[in-house]
Amino acid sequence: MSTIKYVFADGTTSEIEVGEEIYALHLQLLQEEKRNHWRETRRHISLYYLMENGVDFTDTAADSFAAVELRENEERIHNAIKHLSDKQQKLLRAVFVESKTITQAAKELGLNKSSISRQLQTIYKKLKKFF
């Protein structure tokens, strides 16, 4: 007969007597547990070692998600712009794509600045429905 000693998480211990066959199985399980622990810690140490020496493990999933999100936003923007009149689309193109000031856009479109500002506010209200 052999004795197996077990230490609980709270620090208390318990000992039981078992036959040789059970004791051999217990020793085998302990060895397997040690080997598994060694494999795990060895792998983690080597990854940390690589990271400390400049090897970077980038997460491409985040980049893929950002690309999908950007594509969906672009589709929503294009869909929203399709619902504007040609005049409103021309104004948006002048101000946001061609980066013209409100004064420059007013001259180009033959309108005054306050008219351009009012039209932009109307456009914003229409576009808010899509977002």
Side-chain angles (χ1 to χ4, degrees):
M1 294 289 265
S2 297
T3 304
I4 297 176
K5 182 177 180 181
Y6 184 79
V7 179
F8 293 93
D10 65 357
T12 60
T13 60
S14 178
E15 292 184 6
I16 57 170
E17 288 190 18
V18 294
E20 294 303 319
E21 188 176 317
I22 299 289
Y23 188 74
L25 182 61
H26 172 71
L27 290 178
Q28 186 179 3
L29 289 172
L30 285 177
Q31 282 300 110
E32 187 63 31
E33 186 179 10
K34 284 180 186 179
R35 276 194 295 274
N36 287 341
H37 178 71
W38 179 79
R39 275 189 226 122
E40 284 294 312
T41 56
R42 188 183 82 200
R43 184 177 68 213
H44 293 288
I45 290 170
S46 64
L47 287 177
Y48 291 137
Y49 176 79
L50 290 172
M51 288 169 51
E52 287 173 359
N53 287 300
V55 177
D56 188 22
F57 298 96
T58 56
D59 182 12
T60 57
D63 294 338
S64 299
F65 178 75
V68 168
E69 187 176 33
L70 179 63
R71 192 175 323 117
E72 288 176 354
N73 286 339
E74 287 175 353
E75 288 174 9
R76 286 201 328 241
I77 290 169
H78 287 291
N79 184 37
I81 290 174
K82 286 180 187 176
H83 288 83
L84 298 175
S85 69
D86 290 338
K87 185 179 176 182
Q88 291 171 329
Q89 289 182 22
K90 190 173 182 179
L91 177 58
L92 275 182
R93 192 175 306 107
V95 174
F96 292 102
V97 176
E98 299 169 4
S99 300
K100 294 184 179 177
T101 63
I102 291 179
T103 305
Q104 292 169 330
K107 281 184 183 179
E108 182 180 296
L109 298 172
L111 302 168
N112 61 32
K113 289 180 2 180
S114 62
S115 176
I116 296 289
S117 296
R118 279 194 309 274
Q119 286 184 21
L120 285 173
Q121 288 176 351
T122 302
I123 291 170
Y124 295 153
K125 287 178 184 176
K126 279 187 173 180
L127 294 178
K128 276 187 178 182
K129 296 176 191 175
F130 295 93
F131 298 97

